Amino acid sequence: MIRKIVKIDEEKCDGCGLCIGACHEAALQLVNGKAKLLSDNLCDGLGACLPDCPRDAIAIIEREAEAFDEAAVQAHIESGKPPVSAPPLACGCPGNTVKEIKKDTAVSPKEAVVAGSELRQWPCQLQLVPVNAPYFDQAHVLVAADCAAYAHANLHAGFMRNKITLIGCPKLDKADYAAKLTEILKLHEIKSLTVIRMEVPCCSGLANAVKEALVASGKMIPWRVVIIGTDGTIRED
């Protein structure tokens, strides 16, 4: 039968996995770092996953496809396994990959040097900060992934100093970062923007939001993206 169904552009897909959580039928999964539709009969064609894709890699098309099967969806969700017709899966979202990071523990917590906080305003969560806050005027702004402060030990002194810090997680926060950042840029004269993101694919949504905001606001101010590895090292600056 000809019906509506999702189509994923693999060239645009960066494997962030945001669409997977948005699909109520669990019809999507990461395969070799790309989002895949497991089986036609699991997709209702309504496109609930579209708004969550930061790369605009998902579209609704009409094509020959097996009919949507609610019973198959229920069985699939209850089993927690893909249907037999689905391709074999690689690991899940790269951001969820479990690993142990070995560190030198020769220095005890009592001996460690405690530096002062460089946070200059409150709140700092991007969803909570008011767009008309006066501290944005003539400010250098840091937009950082939640995990960055825990992964990179020198985030305060190395990046937060003399900046207004905004934090968020594009995978977990249900918010339109680009729209809010656009309003902040329109209302204030921001001097520069620095984005700190983790190396995991889903974190690319943070940098994409800043880029979209710059374009939408018409203010192409100096900005840069710094990528932090899961082991805390700076991978790209």
Side-chain angles (χ1 to χ4, degrees), residues 4 12 30 58 112 182 215:
K4 292 182 178 181
K12 291 183 178 180
L30 287 181
I58 307 176
T182 298
V215 173

Side-chain angles (χ1 to χ4, degrees), residues 104-116 153:
D104 182 4
T105 57
V107 178
S108 69
K110 291 183 179 180
E111 296 173 315
V113 177
V114 179

Side-chain angles (χ1 to χ4, degrees), residues 67-137:
F68 175 60
D69 188 339
E70 291 187 12
V73 170
Q74 188 62 33
H76 167 53
I77 293 175
E78 290 178 355
S79 70
K81 298 177 181 180
V84 176
S85 60
L89 300 183
C91 62
C93 173
N96 294 340
T97 303
V98 177
K99 67 174 72 174
E100 183 179 359
I101 301 172
K102 300 293 185 180
K103 297 288 185 179
D104 182 4
T105 57
V107 178
S108 69
K110 291 183 179 180
E111 296 173 315
V113 177
V114 179
S117 171
E118 295 291 343
L119 187 64
R120 298 183 58 196
Q121 94 290 340
W122 189 263
C124 59
Q125 224 291 339
L126 187 48
Q127 292 190 84
L128 301 178
V129 67
V131 296
N132 60 349
Y135 46 69
F136 282 120
D137 292 326

